[in-house]
Amino acid sequence: MCCPIFSGVMFFNRWMSSWARASEDLFTDRNEINSETLSQAIRAAASEEPDADGSVLFGQLQGTVVGLRYYTGVVNQGEMVGLVREPQNPYDRNAVMVANIYGNQVGHIKRELAAAMAYVMDNKLAKVEGVVHYGTKNKFNMPVMLSFWGKEENKNTVVESMLRRGYKLNTGGIKSAEAFLCFQLKNAFDNLFEGLMESKDGEKEAAKSVATPLLLHQKQALSWMCSRENKCTLPPFWEKRGDLYYNTLTHFSAREVPERVRGGILADDMGLGKTLTTIALILTNFHNGKPLPVEMSVSVNNMKQCKFWARVDKYLKTDLLHLLIPCLNDCLLLLSSVNLQDQFEQHVHANVKLNVYLYYGSERNRSKKFLSSQDVVITTYNVLSADFEVSRGSPLHGIHWLRVVLDEGHTIRNPNAQMSKAVLQLKAQRRWILSGTPIQNSVKDLWTLLAFLRLKPFDVREWWNRVIQRPAMQGDRAGLQNLQTLVKCITLRRTKTSEVNGRPLVSLPEKMVCVEQVELNQQEREEYELARNEGRSTIGRYVAEGTVLRNYADVLAILMRLRQHCCHPDLLAKISSDLGAAATPAELRERLVEKLRLVLASGSDEECSVCLDSVCLPVITHCAHVYCRPCIAKVISTQQGTARCPLCRSDIKETELVEVPLEEMEDESSTHAKKWRTSSKVQALMGNLLRLQSEDRSIKCLVVSQFTRFLSILETPLREHGFSFVRLDGTMSQKKRAQVIQDFQSSAANSPSIMLLSLKAGGVGLNLTAASHVFLMDPAWNPATEEQCIDRCHRLGQKRKVVVTKFIVKDSVEENMVRIQRKKQDLVEKAFGSANTDKKTSRIDDIKALLEL
DNA sequence: ACCGCCGGGTGCC
DNA sequence: ACCGCCGGGTGCC
């Protein structure tokens, strides 16, 4: 097995001097480059560090570190040391190297002991950790207390294998974490981000180039962010002792100042203006506390301007740039990236010209020189990781940025994800994470964030695990306390309900939600009842047979048809027939694709039963159940040839998983071809729109549906009545979206007054504050989706009272859906945490309720 | 490094 | 003199 940390250190030792020599960058001091190189090397190496979850202490053993006089690494009394296998050592393939926190080698473990440890370490039976309690001044060797940690089931193997080689693990006096501490732990997590909003550093005015006036709490955030970038405060747990810098947790000390973290986590609630504050930071705190020098398009003497630019270019074309990475793991969030650009236009003074480049799309300019000439480069996590995987020559990784800002930073919480690895490799002087939800489930999620911020020594996983994660997970009070301190130092978090000087941070205009009942006309009602009775008898049969889950896709298809009836008859254009009737494989495939599309469009099964999270890369099995491709692939590979569908136990094969072909995602042609007709719901909407228009022509509306084909149908009457409208759905390209949003947000007299919005395109970060009225054409299964959509306009920047109208067809499946929505919300509120104990059963109950069975 | 180990010098007491 | 003992050279893995 190779030994990554070791090679990393070697790399550093060999190249350190040349790095230092080469570093003549005006804006970066030497230490920064050096430690950057080292930590990068170590970080890349340490990414294989296993999780410390559920580790128990097997026992301890006094060992010896030898060969001290050959190495420069020193340790303090009580200091933690790392033990790294060194199988390539020419003298002993069992060698175990001892290194301090900075990766400097201290010595080796004595040969015989190393041989015993090598077996345990190489077979991953235990993780061995060392602490030096005394003898740190010794010349030739020193004692080290070794602790063996691992999974309970490996304990005996480890103890016995060490004993066979004459090393007895001392297992006495080990106290295991008490169960009741779990409760405490949960509390501690919940409170981790509490109390972070106490006033930090007063407030700061934004540079003149910021067009939008900052609110008080935003000025406070700006002040905090500037001071995080400019002040030379030591990172948490470091203190100066004599002429040394000492880490109180690891007991490591160094002569050099520990690299400070220029940045942090801005974890304000959604809607408090994190983006605006960040834009203000970019423009206000460029270098040495000076604002970003940007071109003013006011007419100046030409010559003078040229000279000015020559100077500015010198700043900007070096390698000091901003890289903004908005969240982009599905099409909903794509919008947030475009929106970001929109926000630059909105919040930056019109006279100021800022070069903002959107780095995505196949035509993106990969030239390092070009990218370096921009003031701001915006890209997505996907693009970044795609570039990173393709080759070492990823343009974004070749640039030393002034700032890297991660929007929706919690996307990188999984350290094993390619995206996270790509993000961690970015080179930057200042690093920021914007996130509305910093810790979702556990302390584990924090590691990548701290690693990104380069918070020493926790950017190396081992030290994070030993000092913070494991103690915290095991309910150790000091561990939790340290975690809290750590987070507190680098995070600013305010909630919507936080107060400044006794007043709420933001006051949004009032929001009114009303339900408008729609009555079907006689013909619609007859058609609806026909479909309902048919569906009822089919589902009733499934319930009686106990085969609801096996026929889940069918059930959803029935519900789907009923929901479509409620909106418009033309939505039912395609009716999928029974799977069993498929004659050829091609036909079967076609039907499965159709069902998958129905399931996805219905929005009913947003979660994969394997990961219990939203389905990503959806595939459908031959038994018509939908999963994330990676999840079901894992199930299939672990069950080796005898794989069964987790929901219905039918045989499944990897080769039989079907996904929706990309080009098939939407076909509009069929609907356009038919002669247009109206429906009760369409008329209800049009009545509202016409009334509003007559009351106030400046009012803008969002018309939201889950069915993009319904949006298409709505285009006809809107055109007929002369409304100016735009449309935004998931199928549109980034550029098109940006254009549409810009048009809609414009306050020009001839700007569109209506946006047709597909529910799923209304993702986080999308800003549609120009609208003050929202029409939800059809109920969603998940009320949170609706809320999220409403929040696109009921957010900071909204000047008017927001009115939301939900159309619900009377005596229909829609009414029942609303009932179930409420029930689910109650359930979540009442029994928090135990809500997903029996999801499947509750889903069957839901289906019964929907059809009044 | 005030140890252990190695190997050459040496050899009654 | 195929041992023991002495004392100098030496020293991580």
Side-chain angles (χ1 to χ4, degrees):
Chain A
M1 214 197 80
C2 78
C3 151
I5 286 196
F6 181 68
S7 54
V9 174
M10 292 305 285
F11 172 80
F12 172 61
N13 285 340
R14 209 172 304 145
W15 293 103
M16 180 169 95
S17 51
S18 51
W19 268 101
R21 269 199 306 279
S23 138
E24 284 175 12
D25 192 311
L26 278 171
F27 305 106
T28 348
D29 51 87
R30 288 182 172 204
N31 284 339
E32 193 169 323
I33 287 250
N34 292 343
S35 26
E36 183 103 353
T37 315
L38 172 64
S39 47
Q40 249 170 15
I42 290 189
R43 190 171 320 98
S47 62
E48 306 305 319
E49 182 78 13
D51 239 316
D53 286 25
S55 275
V56 295
L57 181 58
F58 296 163
Q60 294 181 316
L61 173 71
Q62 186 76 244
T64 313
V65 187
V66 295
L68 302 186
R69 63 163 154 158
Y70 300 98
Y71 307 98
T72 53
V74 289
V75 291
N76 293 308
Q77 201 168 94
E79 184 169 335
M80 298 178 165
V81 289
L83 302 162
V84 186
R85 277 282 289 118
E86 205 184 326
Q88 306 300 334
N89 188 300
Y91 304 97
D92 181 5
R93 59 186 178 84
N94 292 323
V96 176
M97 164 195 139
V98 181
N100 69 17
I101 304 250
Y102 270 15
N104 297 117
Q105 182 163 6
V106 176
H108 278 104
I109 291 292
K110 220 161 97 83
R111 197 181 193 107
E112 299 79 11
L113 177 54
M117 283 165 61
Y119 174 79
V120 169
M121 291 169 84
D122 292 349
N123 292 296
K124 303 207 185 316
L125 297 170
K127 175 100 185 64
V128 191
E129 299 177 354
V131 177
V132 180
H133 292 290
Y134 58 95
T136 54
K137 300 278 185 288
N138 292 1
K139 273 186 181 159
F140 305 100
N141 49 40
M142 62 169 80
V144 58
M145 184 52 85
L146 303 172
S147 305
F148 291 67
W149 295 84
K151 294 200 187 99
E152 183 65 52
E153 64 256 36
N154 292 328
K155 182 171 175 174
N156 283 342
T157 321
V158 170
V159 171
E160 279 163 24
S161 102
M162 291 304 289
L163 197 59
R164 255 201 312 279
R165 291 165 189 267
Y167 293 98
K168 187 168 167 15
L169 286 188
N170 179 1
T171 51
I174 298 169
K175 55 169 175 27
S176 58
E178 305 285 335
F180 80 90
L181 283 171
C182 289
F183 176 73
Q184 248 183 19
L185 186 64
K186 173 87 182 91
N187 265 340
F189 286 153
D190 292 348
N191 296 329
L192 194 56
F193 281 84
E194 293 305 315
L196 297 174
M197 58 280 267
E198 69 234 38
S199 75
K200 304 200 182 192
D201 301 310
E203 38 193 279
K204 188 181 178 79
E205 293 292 336
K208 289 216 167 57
S209 47
V210 181
T212 313
L214 297 193
L215 298 175
L216 182 62
H217 74 276
Q218 293 164 343
K219 289 178 188 170
Q220 288 175 341
L222 178 60
S223 159
W224 176 73
M225 291 176 95
C226 286
S227 74
R228 293 257 357 135
E229 290 193 347
N230 303 340
K231 279 194 183 166
C232 291
T233 44
L234 288 175
F237 309 117
W238 287 89
E239 55 187 56
K240 194 153 194 238
R241 289 195 178 175
D243 51 354
L244 291 178
Y245 295 90
Y246 184 78
N247 187 299
T248 55
L249 287 188
T250 59
H251 301 282
F252 174 76
S253 67
R255 205 165 294 278
E256 318 83 56
V257 191
E259 190 189 350
R260 64 203 175 87
V261 178
R262 298 199 213 210
I265 305 174
L266 181 57
D268 280 350
D269 256 3
M270 286 262 314
L272 292 186
K274 289 192 286 290
T275 314
L276 171 59
T277 311
T278 306
I279 291 172
L281 174 76
I282 290 170
L283 292 169
T284 309
N285 194 42
F286 174 60
H287 180 243
N288 289 343
K290 290 189 198 76
L292 176 65
V294 284
E295 182 180 18
M296 306 290 281
S297 64
V298 283
S299 59
V300 208
N301 177 308
N302 253 356
M303 271 306 284
K304 221 171 152 187
Q305 196 167 6
C306 280
K307 277 184 186 161
F308 172 67
W309 263 105
R311 229 175 34 241
V312 170
D313 275 7
K314 224 175 146 186
Y315 278 115
L316 296 183
K317 284 189 180 161
T318 48
D319 45 10
L320 301 164
L321 284 166
H322 306 81
L323 178 67
L324 289 153
I325 306 186
C327 174
L328 183 85
N329 48 8
D330 70 37
C331 58
L332 303 183
L333 299 164
L334 256 162
L335 278 159
S336 81
S337 60
V338 166
N339 199 44
L340 271 173
Q341 188 197 27
D342 177 63
Q343 302 237 334
F344 271 97
E345 278 163 28
Q346 189 189 328
H347 296 310
V348 175
H349 203 281
N351 286 338
V352 171
K353 197 188 163 298
L354 203 59
N355 290 322
V356 178
Y357 184 67
L358 302 184
Y359 184 77
Y360 44 67
S362 54
E363 299 301 305
R364 63 179 179 265
N365 190 334
R366 292 159 199 268
S367 146
K368 239 178 91 174
K369 201 174 165 196
F370 169 77
L371 292 169
S372 299
S373 72
Q374 302 298 306
D375 294 319
V376 175
V377 173
I378 299 178
T379 190
T380 68
Y381 289 102
N382 282 344
V383 168
L384 181 80
S385 76
D387 269 15
F388 183 63
E389 269 173 72
V390 167
S391 68
R392 294 278 110 185
S394 158
L396 300 180
H397 287 89
I399 297 172
H400 195 106
W401 305 92
L402 174 64
R403 273 192 198 86
V404 171
V405 180
L406 309 183
D407 196 11
E408 302 299 332
H410 54 265
T411 4
I412 61 157
R413 67 174 175 271
N414 175 6
N416 300 320
Q418 280 304 318
M419 266 182 203
S420 310
K421 289 179 181 168
V423 168
L424 291 186
Q425 290 299 314
L426 287 166
K427 287 176 281 184
Q429 191 196 49
R430 312 172 194 187
R431 296 153 178 277
W432 286 100
I433 295 163
L434 312 183
S435 177
T437 48
I439 285 201
Q440 228 129 26
N441 304 310
S442 76
V443 217
K444 282 159 74 179
D445 293 353
L446 257 177
W447 181 76
T448 341
L449 304 190
L450 299 182
F452 168 72
L453 295 176
R454 311 267 161 111
L455 190 77
K456 315 272 162 185
F458 306 118
D459 51 339
V460 172
R461 190 82 168 274
E462 171 168 1
W463 307 114
W464 163 257
N465 281 347
R466 281 177 69 171
V467 182
I468 305 285
Q469 184 173 315
R470 192 181 55 217
M473 304 280 278
Q474 300 189 347
D476 177 281
R477 269 172 194 280
L480 287 168
Q481 185 60 53
N482 292 335
L483 177 61
Q484 184 113 32
T485 308
L486 200 64
V487 170
K488 218 169 181 163
C489 286
I490 52 162
T491 309
L492 181 66
R493 168 166 175 81
R494 284 83 53 88
T495 61
K496 277 181 184 163
T497 53
S498 302
E499 295 186 349
V500 190
N501 304 337
R503 306 173 81 177
L505 289 184
V506 280
S507 49
L508 286 178
E510 200 186 328
K511 177 178 85 180
M512 204 176 83
V513 182
C514 51
V515 172
E516 186 169 326
Q517 279 199 339
V518 177
E519 295 251 17
L520 295 181
N521 65 33
Q522 199 190 338
Q523 195 194 338
E524 287 168 340
R525 175 54 68 185
E526 279 169 13
E527 284 172 15
Y528 180 87
E529 289 301 322
L530 211 68
R532 188 176 81 129
N533 290 337
E534 194 190 304
R536 216 173 179 176
S537 72
T538 308
I539 294 175
R541 202 175 66 232
Y542 292 149
V543 171
E545 290 168 357
T547 56
V548 177
L549 289 177
R550 203 169 308 169
N551 295 292
Y552 202 57
D554 247 7
V555 172
L556 287 174
I558 290 166
L559 292 174
M560 181 66 160
R561 262 172 264 151
L562 292 179
R563 290 164 61 203
Q564 290 172 332
H565 266 294
C566 290
C567 291
H568 195 281
D570 288 348
L571 291 177
L572 291 133
K574 281 188 181 176
I575 293 167
S576 60
S577 48
D578 199 36
L579 276 183
T584 65
E587 207 175 326
L588 176 68
R589 195 190 153 77
E590 177 59 32
R591 293 205 174 131
L592 284 168
V593 168
E594 175 64 17
K595 291 217 171 192
L596 177 57
R597 201 188 292 133
L598 269 173
V599 170
L600 293 177
S602 71
S604 60
D605 197 3
E606 282 180 25
E607 67 215 10
C608 156
S609 326
V610 178
C611 63
L612 297 178
D613 217 323
S614 300
V615 180
C616 68
L617 301 171
V619 288
I620 190 163
T621 59
H622 271 210
C623 49
H625 293 105
V626 176
Y627 302 97
C628 315
R629 180 178 276 280
C631 291
I632 196 68
K634 206 171 163 190
V635 169
I636 293 173
S637 72
T638 49
Q639 297 184 0
Q640 286 293 331
T642 58
R644 287 167 182 253
C645 172
L647 282 172
C648 69
R649 314 304 300 159
S650 305
D651 290 338
I652 48 173
K653 290 197 183 88
E654 169 113 43
T655 49
E656 288 176 351
L657 298 177
V658 175
E659 58 195 33
V660 176
L662 271 179
E663 68 278 12
E664 274 188 43
M665 282 306 264
E666 197 59 52
D667 58 338
E668 301 279 318
S669 47
S670 57
T671 27
H672 285 303
K674 284 202 195 96
K675 192 176 181 304
W676 192 85
R677 50 178 166 166
T678 188
S679 77
S680 299
K681 223 182 223 181
V682 171
Q683 290 197 297
L685 172 71
M686 291 313 294
N688 274 280
L689 292 178
L690 289 166
R691 177 180 51 79
L692 279 175
Q693 196 193 29
S694 69
E695 284 170 10
D696 182 347
R697 292 196 67 87
S698 69
I699 287 180
K700 295 199 182 199
C701 306
L702 300 179
V703 175
V704 185
S705 174
Q706 294 167 80
F707 309 109
T708 49
R709 273 162 54 217
F710 193 29
L711 297 179
S712 304
I713 289 170
L714 291 170
E715 289 180 15
T716 307
L718 288 178
R719 238 177 246 121
E720 239 165 50
H721 287 92
F723 284 104
S724 164
F725 64 91
V726 288
R727 172 179 172 139
L728 187 70
D729 65 52
T731 63
M732 295 165 76
S733 73
Q734 290 300 321
K735 288 209 155 55
K736 190 89 187 294
R737 286 180 192 219
Q739 192 56 51
V740 161
I741 293 166
Q742 200 183 341
D743 289 352
F744 185 70
Q745 286 287 89
S746 158
S747 51
N750 60 347
S751 64
S753 62
I754 292 167
M755 176 182 278
L756 294 173
L757 179 66
S758 91
L759 184 73
K760 286 189 170 182
V764 185
L766 179 59
N767 189 348
L768 300 171
T769 46
S772 59
H773 283 245
V774 183
F775 294 97
L776 297 174
M777 299 308 295
D778 31 83
W781 293 85
N782 184 354
T785 320
E786 291 182 355
E787 281 307 313
Q788 208 177 65
C789 193
I790 295 167
D791 282 347
R792 296 312 111 224
C793 78
H794 191 244
R795 60 185 289 166
L796 219 64
Q798 179 56 259
K799 302 283 185 288
R800 300 174 189 247
K801 177 178 163 183
V802 170
V803 182
V804 181
T805 308
K806 297 183 179 183
F807 291 112
I808 302 293
V809 170
K810 209 176 161 215
D811 299 321
S812 78
V813 67
E814 290 190 344
E815 278 191 335
N816 298 326
M817 281 175 69
V818 173
R819 266 213 331 264
I820 285 169
Q821 274 190 353
R822 290 215 192 100
K823 203 181 75 187
K824 272 191 177 155
Q825 228 164 1
D826 289 351
L827 193 76
V828 172
E829 276 162 22
K830 276 180 195 145
F832 190 74
S834 60
N836 54 359
T837 39
D838 210 343
K839 281 194 172 176
K840 287 178 211 163
T841 344
S842 91
R843 234 182 290 166
I844 298 176
D845 290 345
D846 285 351
I847 291 164
K848 286 193 202 167
L850 281 167
L851 285 134
E852 289 152 23
L853 279 160

